[in-house]
Amino acid sequence: MIDPARPLALVAGAGHLPELVAASLDRARRPFRVLAVRGFTERAMRRRADAVVDLLDIPGTLRILKEWAPAAVVPAGGVTRPSPAALLNAAHAVRNRDILKSLAGGDDRLLRAVLSLLEENGHRVLGVHEVAPDLLGRLGRLGRVEPDSDATLSIASGRAMLGALSPFDVGQAAVVAGERVIAVEGPEGTDRMLARARALNRKPFGRGTPAKGTVLVKLPKLGQDLRIDLPAIGPRTVRRAAEAGCAGIAIGAGHTLVIDREATVAAADAAGLFLIGVEVAP
């Protein structure tokens, strides 16, 4: 258990997620301070930031966190390749060779190295799913539409396939029709995978109607560290899924962030797509 009287340190990266987490913490009356990452944090969160650091200013970040002594550190929002603004103080990274090595290994590796460094310095790191569970999709139907028998088979196939692929560190999502896998998410992300599925899910030769019971299945990989890689969907995901000919979307209940929940559910209902939370294997 963490001390509820001590503030959390919300490390705000790019995108809308930090703002959503802040709003959730406000609703829960949970004290927190915001550490903005220069070149990444959006304007709304920069305005309420208690401090700003450069992405690679590890010593400066550790000094601030030591002063704050937070109950836990909560990373929220993306940090991809450092932008020019984020690289202004990159010389600080030379002091930590693990961080430098991680820059050549992809975004996930960089984030894991930073989290490990925080933990080595005595900070507990919590994920968004642990401090703002109200932002996650729940078990069962989220909108008005129910999956039919064809879609139910597709969901089962997608869950089995993604579970089998987990050890190989591929993506979190797939487009499935019955027992046929149309597309699997790779490093390009869900949106681009859905664009591929849109072209592939029509026959013959890209023409005709989508395969019956086509479903987007999005689940965390087995053993995935949700603190740095929490699956997420939003209204744009619903639009892309509809364009790809999907009958609906299945997500991992309690393990998937639903961005702008009301808008996402409304978009699914308007498009005639089901949106359902399914159990995630332990």
Side-chain angles (χ1 to χ4, degrees), residues 112-148:
R112 288 190 186 98
V114 171
L115 262 57
S116 294
L117 185 62
L118 290 173
E119 291 173 332
E120 289 169 8
N121 281 267
H123 297 289
R124 184 173 180 182
V125 181
L126 297 179
V128 169
H129 63 295
E130 296 172 289
V131 301
D134 59 311
L135 301 180
L136 306 177
R138 56 173 171 77
L139 185 65
R141 179 169 54 87
L142 303 182
R144 292 197 301 262
V145 183
E146 289 272 9
D148 61 16

Side-chain angles (χ1 to χ4, degrees), residues 5-104:
R6 291 168 58 198
L8 299 170
L10 176 60
V11 181
H16 189 40
L17 179 57
E19 190 175 353
L20 293 175
V21 176
S24 175
L25 294 173
D26 285 337
R27 288 192 297 271
R29 299 184 183 277
R30 185 70 171 86
F32 66 96
R33 305 179 78 174
V34 177
L35 182 60
V37 182
R38 196 187 317 275
F40 293 95
T41 307
E42 302 292 336
R43 183 178 300 175
M45 289 306 295
R46 288 202 308 269
R47 283 198 295 263
R48 66 180 299 178
D50 298 279
V52 181
V53 293
D54 292 288
L55 175 64
L56 300 180
D57 184 5
I58 305 303
T61 300
L62 291 176
R63 281 196 300 270
I64 291 169
L65 292 176
K66 183 177 180 179
E67 177 186 336
W68 288 0
V73 178
V74 182
V79 286
T80 53
R81 289 293 152 184
S83 67
L87 283 170
L88 287 176
N89 280 342
H92 287 290
V94 176
R95 303 181 190 181
N96 190 284
R97 294 187 180 276
D98 289 339
I99 299 297
L100 280 178
K101 289 178 182 178
S102 71
L103 285 172

